[in-house]
DNA sequence: AATGAATGAGTATTCATTCAT
DNA sequence: GATGAATGAATACTCATTCAT
């Protein structure tokens, strides 16, 4: 829909889009595959096919480049969440939750590296970020879920007695785990939680929703 | 109960246990406080009071030493889980789950460094590990929960129709998130999920169990 | 009186004088405040408000620009010296020496940046200069003093037996030290050799002249 | 007589003296010929025939190495001064001054590079040294001369009315200039102020002493 | 004639690993 | 069996200079 602001120095912003993209992709690859500390500006310029000098004219420091990559990932995630919220306003809580999951899977399919960086960041101590920035990322996800929960309570779909904050935290953790497992297939080996297996994916969605809806207890 | 196999080279295994312990403790401290990449073999040998040459004769590479530390952390976690299983065999499923959580909190209180390493690894931002090793760690936790679920199903406490594997995965993710939030307080700022606040901790346990038991839906 | 030859490439010499001046001032500022090595062509073009490409078309290399700045400083010093010589032709040797000192202090007050560059160069810790250029600077000062000494000898003010060349060298060194101490206050801390203290300055002038005139020996 | 304390890390101090010497000489050469900023640790290790890693184990940083070189130069100069003072206690002021000059020439003959660094430092803004350290070097020289002047005044060799501090400053400047001219022959080209020409050197000494003793005025 | 993006050799410093003693 | 000195490839980052537009 609307474009993200282009990061980096003015020089970078004035570059032709193909080159911008080439550099940025290389950065995303590098950070995603090695993490912040191990990512090497040397490898990066080699991959991007530009000179060291240029890279540092585009982004003044490794940290700036990383921040740009992260901001971009966060912005894209946010946009996804917003879209889901708007497009599902009429649906029931559990339908919305299902949408959310499926939108998450789709996001990962479309931006696997961004997803990787996003997940890395969410749970990692490394990275040159104050905890504040990370906490904000979390709040973003939880806040979104809290909205869903509250409006469902208002409509009488969910029990009144629920502790909204705690519940949002737990739901968030469930969805996040699921998505993380999806993007790193190896996390759930043998569980069929990946693109190739649409049926299995359906079953995952159903199982998760069932847990959240009904709990486990025999009645 | 039974001893874990001693890691490292033959030379290390033949060392007197005090020295082994000294080296190992230093490694745990170093990796826990700095993470894999930033951990320094220099600091480590200084802390352990041995020579660099010796360290590399005990463990051929930084990576090997790290692997040994991780294996050890995993083994301790495993022992914890086993003990809980055995000591709670008579209780109901949800009582056992509560035990499990509280045992987890206690483990973190008692072995904060091992916990740190364990969580670091599970999320595996950095670390030089093949996916296989990490997957195995996960399987361990999930397998344990699967046992609990199955025996509860046999006793009729849980619905028969549940997909045991998937449910174990989801439960595992819930518990893990909770524990991780507990050990890094900043992950859940303002949620009161830390030692200092026993009441709040109780409420977290209750909320989580309630979700797992009853789900969210108004009935 | 007469203009100095304009330095730099033909392109630079054909520039309009305002622009020449702007570029040159920026260079003087930059070299004076940071020294040759640390002076940055980047800062310089920013300060001058021109493009990097242009600067390198005006002066082929950093070194050339520096040389131009130095030459300019030297030329200004020379003009100062000449003026003093002409204006003091009627006075005695020691009066002329006093004039010279005071003119030196005034020069520093009026052109602190040029003075800085000039002294930097004379001591030539860094700077990319062959010895020849520096030697010439010295010769300029010494030659000037030698003229003074010789004409004073002719008039019978100074002893006939003096070795003019050597004496000029020594006088030059005395005056230079005094001026250098004046411009870098820290060289003579606590000696009161700076603007703020006119009385003390007078005493310095008198002490120095007394040494040169009468020597130290008790008679 | 007594040895200077060996600088650098413990590792460096335990090295065999030949290697210490080799490294130190390379450092002296490098700093003397290029100045602090332009001196390159890369060139240095190449010249010393050691690896980069080793150099940084011997001295933790460029700055430390430079400080060591400077301290060494200062210590040697100090020793020279002390020796002259003690060995000339019985002589007249002007005889002592002559001794001092000749000792200075000898020092430069024996340690030309140290002399270079010493002079560089004395008058240079560059170098990572606070002005305090440099001011102290100056005070050392001036204080030494002030002692000489005062004891000569007590003995009635010099006029009572002299301003000891200012006179020491001026004398120091004369001697320093002479020595500096001696070590960089190009400073006084054609003046015969260098080793090769003992006669000419004698004349320099005599001229300088004559100026200091009698002044220039015809009487 | 002017621009400013691109370059790449240069900087100091680190650190896991090796190997002669 | 233990030592710790030596190594060198690696790190992020700089900056004078070039050259196509």
């Amino acid at each position: 829909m609307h474009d993200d602001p282009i990061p980096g120095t003015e020089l970078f912003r004035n570059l032709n889009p193909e080159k911008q993209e080439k550099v940025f992709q290389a950065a995303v690859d590098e950070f995603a595959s090695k993490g912040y500390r191990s990512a090497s500006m040397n490898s990066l310029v080699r991959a991007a096919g530009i000179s060291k000098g240029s890279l540092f004219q585009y982004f003044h420091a490794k940290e700036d480049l990383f921040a740009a990559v992260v901001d971009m990932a966060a912005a894209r995630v946010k946009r996804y969440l917003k879209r889901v919220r708007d497009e599902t306003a009429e649906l029931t809580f559990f339908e919305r939750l299902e949408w959310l999951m499926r939108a998450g899977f789709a996001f990962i399919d479309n931006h696997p590296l961004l997803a990787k960086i996003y997940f890395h960041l969410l749970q990692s101590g490394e990275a040159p970020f104050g905890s504040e920035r990370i906490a904000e990322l979390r709040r973003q996800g939880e806040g979104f879920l809290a909205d869903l929960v509250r409006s469902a309570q208002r409509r009488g779909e969910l029990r009144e007695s629920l502790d909204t904050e705690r519940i949002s935290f737990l739901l968030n953790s469930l969805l996040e785990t699921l998505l993380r497992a999806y993007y790193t297939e190896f996390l759930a080996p043998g569980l069929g939680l990946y693109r190739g297996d649409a049926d299995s994916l359906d079953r995952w969605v159903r199982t998760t929703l069932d847990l959240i809806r009904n709990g486990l207890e025999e009645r």
Side-chain angles (χ1 to χ4, degrees), chain A residues 30-31 34-41 62 66 120 124-128:
Chain A
E30 183 72 14
F31 285 123
K34 306 200 193 158
Y36 178 75
R37 285 246 357 178
S38 296
S40 153
M41 299 299 259
K62 187 184 186 182
F66 185 62
H120 256 60
S124 116
E126 91 155 336

Tab-separated table of all heavy atoms in Angstrom, chain A residues 30-31 34-41 62 66 120 124-128, chain E residues 14-16, chain F residues 10-12:
chain	number	residue	atom	x	y	z
A	30	GLU	N	22.850	-11.545	5.257
A	30	GLU	CA	23.994	-11.685	6.156
A	30	GLU	C	23.545	-11.726	7.616
A	30	GLU	O	23.944	-12.606	8.375
A	30	GLU	CB	24.967	-10.511	5.931
A	30	GLU	CG	26.235	-10.577	6.742
A	30	GLU	CD	27.204	-11.648	6.266
A	30	GLU	OE1	27.022	-12.171	5.146
A	30	GLU	OE2	28.128	-11.978	7.034
A	31	PHE	N	22.709	-10.780	7.993
A	31	PHE	CA	22.261	-10.750	9.386
A	31	PHE	C	21.399	-11.962	9.716
A	31	PHE	O	21.484	-12.519	10.802
A	31	PHE	CB	21.491	-9.457	9.672
A	31	PHE	CG	22.375	-8.254	9.805
A	31	PHE	CD1	22.192	-7.136	9.004
A	31	PHE	CD2	23.406	-8.231	10.744
A	31	PHE	CE1	23.012	-6.017	9.131
A	31	PHE	CE2	24.229	-7.110	10.879
A	31	PHE	CZ	24.038	-6.010	10.062
A	34	LYS	N	23.745	-15.115	10.008
A	34	LYS	CA	24.810	-15.178	11.010
A	34	LYS	C	24.503	-14.478	12.330
A	34	LYS	O	25.248	-14.643	13.292
A	34	LYS	CB	26.080	-14.541	10.423
A	34	LYS	CG	26.498	-15.128	9.089
A	34	LYS	CD	27.949	-14.823	8.811
A	34	LYS	CE	28.318	-15.118	7.362
A	34	LYS	NZ	29.518	-14.383	6.937
A	35	GLY	N	23.436	-13.712	12.370
A	35	GLY	CA	23.193	-12.939	13.583
A	35	GLY	C	24.034	-11.680	13.576
A	35	GLY	O	24.979	-11.566	12.802
A	36	TYR	N	23.709	-10.759	14.446
A	36	TYR	CA	24.376	-9.462	14.398
A	36	TYR	C	25.882	-9.555	14.564
A	36	TYR	O	26.636	-9.085	13.731
A	36	TYR	CB	23.809	-8.529	15.463
A	36	TYR	CG	24.497	-7.187	15.480
A	36	TYR	CD1	24.236	-6.247	14.500
A	36	TYR	CD2	25.439	-6.882	16.448
A	36	TYR	CE1	24.887	-5.027	14.479
A	36	TYR	CE2	26.099	-5.658	16.439
A	36	TYR	CZ	25.821	-4.746	15.453
A	36	TYR	OH	26.481	-3.543	15.435
A	37	ARG	N	26.319	-10.138	15.635
A	37	ARG	CA	27.747	-10.136	15.939
A	37	ARG	C	28.571	-10.799	14.855
A	37	ARG	O	29.627	-10.317	14.477
A	37	ARG	CB	28.016	-10.864	17.263
A	37	ARG	CG	27.613	-10.048	18.465
A	37	ARG	CD	28.741	-9.613	19.365
A	37	ARG	NE	30.061	-10.074	19.010
A	37	ARG	CZ	31.150	-9.763	19.652
A	37	ARG	NH1	31.065	-9.003	20.727
A	37	ARG	NH2	32.322	-10.204	19.278
A	38	SER	N	28.094	-11.940	14.395
A	38	SER	CA	28.901	-12.711	13.452
A	38	SER	C	28.782	-12.214	12.020
A	38	SER	O	29.577	-12.595	11.173
A	38	SER	CB	28.511	-14.185	13.525
A	38	SER	OG	28.804	-14.691	14.804
A	39	ALA	N	27.799	-11.413	11.772
A	39	ALA	CA	27.680	-10.858	10.430
A	39	ALA	C	28.921	-10.024	10.144
A	39	ALA	O	29.412	-9.314	11.014
A	39	ALA	CB	26.431	-10.001	10.340
A	40	SER	N	29.432	-10.142	8.935
A	40	SER	CA	30.674	-9.447	8.598
A	40	SER	C	30.443	-8.440	7.474
A	40	SER	O	29.909	-8.780	6.417
A	40	SER	CB	31.734	-10.465	8.174
A	40	SER	OG	32.660	-9.867	7.295
A	41	MET	N	30.860	-7.227	7.742
A	41	MET	CA	30.715	-6.198	6.718
A	41	MET	C	31.535	-6.587	5.485
A	41	MET	O	31.190	-6.214	4.364
A	41	MET	CB	31.177	-4.853	7.259
A	41	MET	CG	30.383	-4.388	8.461
A	41	MET	SD	28.633	-4.159	8.144
A	41	MET	CE	28.525	-2.379	7.948
A	62	LYS	N	27.878	-0.466	11.137
A	62	LYS	CA	27.214	-1.753	11.133
A	62	LYS	C	25.889	-1.648	11.880
A	62	LYS	O	24.861	-2.169	11.438
A	62	LYS	CB	28.121	-2.771	11.808
A	62	LYS	CG	27.653	-4.207	11.745
A	62	LYS	CD	28.594	-5.102	12.550
A	62	LYS	CE	28.232	-6.570	12.392
A	62	LYS	NZ	29.111	-7.446	13.195
A	66	PHE	N	22.089	-2.546	10.644
A	66	PHE	CA	21.258	-3.536	11.318
A	66	PHE	C	19.931	-2.923	11.759
A	66	PHE	O	18.863	-3.520	11.560
A	66	PHE	CB	22.010	-4.103	12.518
A	66	PHE	CG	21.284	-5.208	13.216
A	66	PHE	CD1	20.994	-6.391	12.549
A	66	PHE	CD2	20.880	-5.076	14.530
A	66	PHE	CE1	20.317	-7.426	13.184
A	66	PHE	CE2	20.206	-6.097	15.182
A	66	PHE	CZ	19.926	-7.275	14.504
A	120	HIS	N	14.774	-13.878	15.520
A	120	HIS	CA	16.064	-13.735	16.172
A	120	HIS	C	16.016	-12.646	17.216
A	120	HIS	O	16.393	-12.818	18.366
A	120	HIS	CB	17.125	-13.322	15.141
A	120	HIS	CG	18.015	-14.423	14.737
A	120	HIS	ND1	17.556	-15.561	14.160
A	120	HIS	CD2	19.357	-14.559	14.832
A	120	HIS	CE1	18.579	-16.357	13.906
A	120	HIS	NE2	19.683	-15.775	14.304
A	124	SER	N	16.406	-12.612	21.491
A	124	SER	CA	17.843	-12.767	21.655
A	124	SER	C	18.425	-11.661	22.503
A	124	SER	O	17.992	-10.515	22.476
A	124	SER	CB	18.504	-12.780	20.285
A	124	SER	OG	19.346	-11.688	20.149
A	125	GLY	N	19.387	-12.022	23.285
A	125	GLY	CA	20.097	-11.031	24.059
A	125	GLY	C	21.076	-10.269	23.190
A	125	GLY	O	21.322	-9.102	23.400
A	126	GLU	N	21.644	-10.933	22.229
A	126	GLU	CA	22.651	-10.291	21.378
A	126	GLU	C	22.043	-9.102	20.645
A	126	GLU	O	20.976	-8.637	21.004
A	126	GLU	CB	23.259	-11.301	20.400
A	126	GLU	CG	22.544	-11.392	19.080
A	126	GLU	CD	23.507	-11.900	17.977
A	126	GLU	OE1	24.722	-11.736	18.122
A	126	GLU	OE2	23.012	-12.477	17.010
A	127	ALA	N	22.703	-8.614	19.693
A	127	ALA	CA	22.211	-7.450	18.953
A	127	ALA	C	22.502	-6.200	19.767
A	127	ALA	O	22.561	-6.247	20.983
A	127	ALA	CB	20.718	-7.556	18.684
A	128	PRO	N	22.700	-5.102	19.087
A	128	PRO	CA	23.123	-3.907	19.785
A	128	PRO	C	21.918	-3.085	20.185
A	128	PRO	O	21.921	-1.883	20.080
A	128	PRO	CB	23.927	-3.174	18.716
A	128	PRO	CG	23.226	-3.545	17.449
A	128	PRO	CD	22.592	-4.887	17.659
E	14	DT	P	42.287	-4.719	21.430
E	14	DT	OP1	41.309	-4.335	22.438
E	14	DT	OP2	43.707	-4.930	21.759
E	14	DT	O5'	41.762	-6.029	20.709
E	14	DT	C5'	40.501	-5.982	20.123
E	14	DT	C4'	40.148	-7.355	19.608
E	14	DT	O4'	40.982	-7.671	18.479
E	14	DT	C3'	40.362	-8.490	20.616
E	14	DT	O3'	39.167	-9.249	20.574
E	14	DT	C2'	41.571	-9.246	20.072
E	14	DT	C1'	41.460	-8.988	18.590
E	14	DT	N1	42.706	-8.999	17.776
E	14	DT	C2	42.726	-9.743	16.630
E	14	DT	O2	41.780	-10.421	16.255
E	14	DT	N3	43.901	-9.664	15.916
E	14	DT	C4	45.024	-8.933	16.244
E	14	DT	O4	46.012	-8.939	15.521
E	14	DT	C5	44.931	-8.170	17.459
E	14	DT	C7	46.083	-7.335	17.878
E	14	DT	C6	43.795	-8.239	18.156
E	15	DC	P	38.747	-10.161	21.758
E	15	DC	OP1	37.284	-10.068	21.872
E	15	DC	OP2	39.610	-9.901	22.914
E	15	DC	O5'	39.101	-11.599	21.190
E	15	DC	C5'	38.826	-11.880	19.824
E	15	DC	C4'	39.354	-13.267	19.511
E	15	DC	O4'	40.608	-13.118	18.808
E	15	DC	C3'	39.664	-14.106	20.752
E	15	DC	O3'	39.346	-15.441	20.446
E	15	DC	C2'	41.166	-13.948	20.917
E	15	DC	C1'	41.598	-13.868	19.456
E	15	DC	N1	42.868	-13.135	19.258
E	15	DC	C2	43.604	-13.349	18.080
E	15	DC	O2	43.166	-14.142	17.247
E	15	DC	N3	44.762	-12.684	17.916
E	15	DC	C4	45.178	-11.828	18.856
E	15	DC	N4	46.320	-11.194	18.637
E	15	DC	C5	44.440	-11.603	20.052
E	15	DC	C6	43.292	-12.269	20.213
E	16	DA	P	38.693	-16.370	21.510
E	16	DA	OP1	37.305	-15.950	21.682
E	16	DA	OP2	39.568	-16.493	22.683
E	16	DA	O5'	38.716	-17.739	20.708
E	16	DA	C5'	38.052	-17.809	19.461
E	16	DA	C4'	38.865	-18.633	18.470
E	16	DA	O4'	40.134	-17.989	18.225
E	16	DA	C3'	39.176	-20.049	18.901
E	16	DA	O3'	39.112	-20.860	17.740
E	16	DA	C2'	40.595	-19.939	19.463
E	16	DA	C1'	41.201	-18.863	18.572
E	16	DA	N9	42.212	-18.011	19.208
E	16	DA	C8	42.126	-17.409	20.434
E	16	DA	N7	43.169	-16.674	20.737
E	16	DA	C5	43.990	-16.797	19.634
E	16	DA	C6	45.262	-16.259	19.331
E	16	DA	N6	45.930	-15.447	20.149
E	16	DA	N1	45.817	-16.580	18.152
E	16	DA	C2	45.131	-17.377	17.320
E	16	DA	N3	43.942	-17.941	17.485
E	16	DA	C4	43.418	-17.614	18.676
F	10	DA	P	40.308	-14.867	6.824
F	10	DA	OP1	39.535	-16.083	6.540
F	10	DA	OP2	40.831	-14.013	5.745
F	10	DA	O5'	39.440	-13.939	7.790
F	10	DA	C5'	39.034	-14.436	9.049
F	10	DA	C4'	38.765	-13.292	9.996
F	10	DA	O4'	40.025	-12.724	10.411
F	10	DA	C3'	38.022	-12.099	9.368
F	10	DA	O3'	36.628	-12.196	9.618
F	10	DA	C2'	38.576	-10.893	10.129
F	10	DA	C1'	39.765	-11.424	10.863
F	10	DA	N9	40.944	-10.621	10.584
F	10	DA	C8	41.686	-10.586	9.434
F	10	DA	N7	42.688	-9.743	9.468
F	10	DA	C5	42.586	-9.182	10.727
F	10	DA	C6	43.342	-8.209	11.394
F	10	DA	N6	44.396	-7.611	10.837
F	10	DA	N1	42.959	-7.871	12.649
F	10	DA	C2	41.894	-8.480	13.189
F	10	DA	N3	41.110	-9.408	12.670
F	10	DA	C4	41.514	-9.715	11.425
F	11	DT	P	35.747	-11.027	9.066
F	11	DT	OP1	34.403	-11.625	9.142
F	11	DT	OP2	36.252	-10.473	7.808
F	11	DT	O5'	35.844	-9.888	10.159
F	11	DT	C5'	35.419	-10.153	11.513
F	11	DT	C4'	35.605	-8.901	12.313
F	11	DT	O4'	37.016	-8.637	12.461
F	11	DT	C3'	35.081	-7.656	11.620
F	11	DT	O3'	33.692	-7.548	11.860
F	11	DT	C2'	35.884	-6.559	12.307
F	11	DT	C1'	37.222	-7.248	12.626
F	11	DT	N1	38.360	-6.880	11.737
F	11	DT	C2	39.250	-5.933	12.163
F	11	DT	O2	39.138	-5.360	13.232
F	11	DT	N3	40.273	-5.674	11.297
F	11	DT	C4	40.487	-6.261	10.060
F	11	DT	O4	41.446	-5.952	9.373
F	11	DT	C5	39.505	-7.240	9.675
F	11	DT	C7	39.644	-7.931	8.359
F	11	DT	C6	38.502	-7.501	10.521
F	12	DA	P	32.823	-6.677	10.898
F	12	DA	OP1	31.437	-7.063	11.206
F	12	DA	OP2	33.350	-6.794	9.522
F	12	DA	O5'	33.084	-5.201	11.408
F	12	DA	C5'	32.852	-4.894	12.786
F	12	DA	C4'	33.261	-3.475	13.073
F	12	DA	O4'	34.662	-3.317	12.765
F	12	DA	C3'	32.540	-2.403	12.264
F	12	DA	O3'	32.460	-1.245	13.085
F	12	DA	C2'	33.472	-2.190	11.086
F	12	DA	C1'	34.834	-2.353	11.745
F	12	DA	N9	35.879	-2.848	10.839
F	12	DA	C8	35.801	-3.868	9.946
F	12	DA	N7	36.894	-4.089	9.263
F	12	DA	C5	37.778	-3.138	9.741
F	12	DA	C6	39.115	-2.827	9.426
F	12	DA	N6	39.838	-3.483	8.507
F	12	DA	N1	39.704	-1.805	10.087
F	12	DA	C2	38.990	-1.155	11.011
F	12	DA	N3	37.727	-1.343	11.404
F	12	DA	C4	37.165	-2.362	10.722
